[in-house]
Amino acid sequence: MATKRTIEVELSTTGLGADGKPQRIPLVSGDTGGLALQTPPVLEPELEGEHMLINIGPQHPATHGVLRLVLELDGETVVRCIPHIGYLHCGFEKIGEYRQYNQIIPWTDREDYLNCVGNNIAFALGAEQLFGIEITPRCTVLRVIGMELSRIASHLVWMGTTGIDIGAFTPFLWSFQERENIYNLFEGWVGARLTTSASRVGGMAADIPDGWLDGLKAFVRTFPRTLSECDRMLTRNGVWVGRTVGLGVMNPEEALNYGLSGPMLRASGVDYDVRKDFPYLDYETYDFEVPVGVHGDVYDRYLVRMEEMRQSVRIIEQAIARLPDGPVNVDDPRVILPPKHKATSEMESMIHHFKNVMEGPRPPIGESYVAVEAPKGEKGYYMVSDGTAKPVRWRIRPPSFVNLSAIPKMVEGHLLSDVIAINASIDIVMGEIDR
Amino acid sequence: MAITTRVVDRPVDESSYIRATFQGLALSFKHLVDPHKVTVQYPEEKWDIGPRWRGTHRMLTTEDGTAKCVACGLCPTVCPANCIKLVPGEDAEGNRYPLVFDIDEFRCIFCGYCQEVCPEEAIHLGRHYENAEYERKDFIYDLKRLTSQTHPVCEMWDPADPRGE
């Protein structure tokens, strides 16, 4: 039993004691005074043996970022899993307290870096609620296109990297080809592929250039073919099915109790989608299906995400058909920079231009919270304003962070190699978790 | 027009090893003979970047070769990464000009806000992506370097591109 005690000493974390002084709290179950994590499964007597403690990560490609998983193994079976996070902490929220609202938008590129345009737009929605601005109809439709494109891009990365984790290399190449097409579209629109900074409070960085919609239509035409090819490679493949079915099962009650959202929750059979239940950007006027699973395992999450990509294509098709003409930015000189030719020729516009940059747009005192359906789940932006140009507090509700909290539950009792598949199925981005 | 919920099909029973292997091989070989090529042979063949590309900076100049910048201070104010150092000067006629205008391209995040706010259309991001240097100090672009670079500039936020203004 000496080995066992060593493990318990290793598995400790810093915390505060009853007297308020820092101390090491052992992460053990039971009534030993430590933090009760979970009861290890009762093993048959002949299997009782030495447990091994291993680290996966933080520098492991299969952890999808700098996630460190401490696993206690009995043979090859996971007895306990403790995720360690914080290796990518950048202090976005604190930095944001020293930036004007538009200046925070480049930071939203960098938290969930697979869904940049979606983050930009979600932040702008939150700021607009704070400012009390109604965006223009053209901007609304353009934002829907941007959000759905970045949802597809994020799911493609998920499918490709999960395939690699489980041993399927070809769909990775195909999905990244299609992702390149999406990034070409973003490059043509705002000039950057990954760190787009596409939105502004009250509008977008720029209108789409001439001919951009043709490129989007070509993408919408060719993408379903690639998707069905990946579907043929994976969905009915015995290896894929064998490595995903029955893993990391979360039933609906557990999923809700853990606060899961997005495809993780829908795969468990709960049809919660922010676009459906709390519509924003006129999503309620689009015609699409919310896919839900039944079993809540890795295979269902895969199916739900594949179907979501198809539904996103449907939404983009409808958005192209209804894209109205007109201005993208609101006609409100308090928040939006005037057009460059006016700023350099008219006195009034020049004054607005300088005041907007030097002092920044100032919202009324108040707070706002906007949640959107990000590819990973429900993503929220919370802002508090004291009437100055910079937020007093800015907070992200990161879906990956909440979804990751379920990993100790999901991997318990599974094999070590299945930890990789289960971890991949959460679709985490560490930039968003550590912020 | 409605948002509906649908339970996804779960074709676990139709899964197979041998059939899926041959199907996958057939699909892969179809891609092998498919003339649709996506790879760019990079050093020989350059990527054609878009007109709105946000790359390393350039300072545009007037006809007599001096920088257009009037040292108004908007770009160092708006820069989210605080990478622009500007020291304004004033000539005998009272015209402001930049004594020092350094951009630290290491800190720069290429958001393009400096170009967006510039009232003189002086500082621009460039359509350029091969930025390697031999020394770290060469990444701090001073005024001389910013004005002497010749790559094309980003067309977003320029009056020439009314849709991107």
Side-chain angles (χ1 to χ4, degrees), chain B residues 58-105:
Chain B
R58 261 190 74 191
M59 172 74 81
L60 296 197
T61 53
T62 54
E63 286 82 11
D64 58 353
T66 54
K68 275 183 172 179
C69 175
V70 294
C72 67
L74 284 193
C75 52
T77 309
V78 83
C79 180
N82 290 338
C83 71
I84 305 179
K85 181 184 177 189
L86 171 70
V87 177
E90 209 170 289
D91 67 6
E93 292 154 19
N95 296 323
R96 282 162 66 96
Y97 66 99
L99 281 173
V100 177
F101 192 99
D102 290 348
I103 296 187
D104 187 345
E105 299 287 342

Side-chain angles (χ1 to χ4, degrees), chain A residues 218-295:
Chain A
F219 170 77
V220 166
R221 210 169 42 242
T222 57
F223 173 67
R225 201 164 61 218
T226 310
L227 198 59
S228 69
E229 281 179 351
C230 295
D231 185 78
R232 268 168 65 194
M233 290 295 260
L234 296 177
T235 307
R236 290 173 180 79
N237 189 321
V239 181
W240 181 264
V241 170
R243 289 220 51 190
T244 52
V245 167
L247 291 187
V249 176
M250 295 289 277
N251 65 37
E253 290 77 33
E254 286 168 347
L256 285 171
N257 284 343
Y258 273 95
L260 304 186
S261 55
M264 290 281 290
L265 180 63
R266 288 194 286 276
S268 295
V270 183
D271 65 335
Y272 174 71
D273 186 315
V274 186
R275 293 175 295 177
K276 172 170 78 70
D277 295 319
F278 302 97
Y280 53 95
L281 290 176
D282 298 340
Y283 263 112
E284 69 275 17
T285 61
Y286 291 87
D287 197 10
F288 65 99
E289 287 170 349
V290 175
V292 295
V294 178
H295 297 76

Side-chain angles (χ1 to χ4, degrees), chain A residues 182-234:
Chain A
I182 297 177
Y183 280 181
N184 288 343
L185 289 170
F186 286 160
E187 180 192 326
W189 186 358
V190 289
R193 301 170 71 81
L194 193 74
T195 52
T196 48
S197 306
S199 70
R200 298 288 184 273
V201 179
M204 300 298 283
D207 198 351
I208 52 174
D210 295 324
W212 191 84
L213 276 183
D214 298 334
L216 181 64
K217 283 173 187 161
F219 170 77
V220 166
R221 210 169 42 242
T222 57
F223 173 67
R225 201 164 61 218
T226 310
L227 198 59
S228 69
E229 281 179 351
C230 295
D231 185 78
R232 268 168 65 194
M233 290 295 260
L234 296 177

